[in-house]
Amino acid sequence: MLRLNGRAVEGGLAPFDLSDRGLTLGDGLFETIAVFGGRPALLRAHLDRLCAAAAEIRLPVDRALCEAEILCLAAEEVGDCIVRLTVTRGGG
């Protein structure tokens, strides 16, 4: 399942801005979070690390949106899974 900016993307293909600095320059961050039985493991610690790293490179992160997206994905999974949360600076 793929979600982009708070919305589910059908078919696994999403439109991306080809000028996104995350794609062209690696200007972004990601966290990989294990989900067991619908519960993200160490979610607070993952978000703390993501937000601290983002602050170091002055990358704005909406922590509440990130948490909501992870919980949404975790709730939709029947079994265990891995969630990759990617945050980029966007186009420019």
Side-chain angles (χ1 to χ4, degrees):
M1 171 179 281
L2 177 65
R3 293 184 65 84
L4 178 63
N5 298 327
R7 295 198 169 133
V9 177
E10 298 299 323
L13 296 176
F16 286 97
D17 179 353
L18 295 179
S19 69
D20 189 309
R21 293 178 56 88
L23 300 175
T24 60
L25 301 171
D27 190 2
L29 302 165
F30 72 92
E31 282 287 322
T32 304
I33 304 163
V35 176
F36 301 109
R39 298 190 62 197
L42 303 169
L43 181 56
R44 181 178 290 164
H46 281 289
L47 292 176
D48 287 348
R49 180 174 46 227
L50 179 80
C51 290
E56 288 292 321
I57 62 171
R58 296 184 183 141
L59 175 65
V61 172
D62 184 339
R63 183 185 177 118
L65 175 62
C66 291
E67 183 172 4
E69 288 297 298
I70 293 165
L71 293 173
C72 181
L73 284 169
E76 292 179 6
E77 288 298 319
V78 175
D80 300 342
C81 68
I82 300 294
V83 172
R84 178 181 164 136
L85 173 66
T86 304
V87 180
T88 72
R89 195 167 307 276

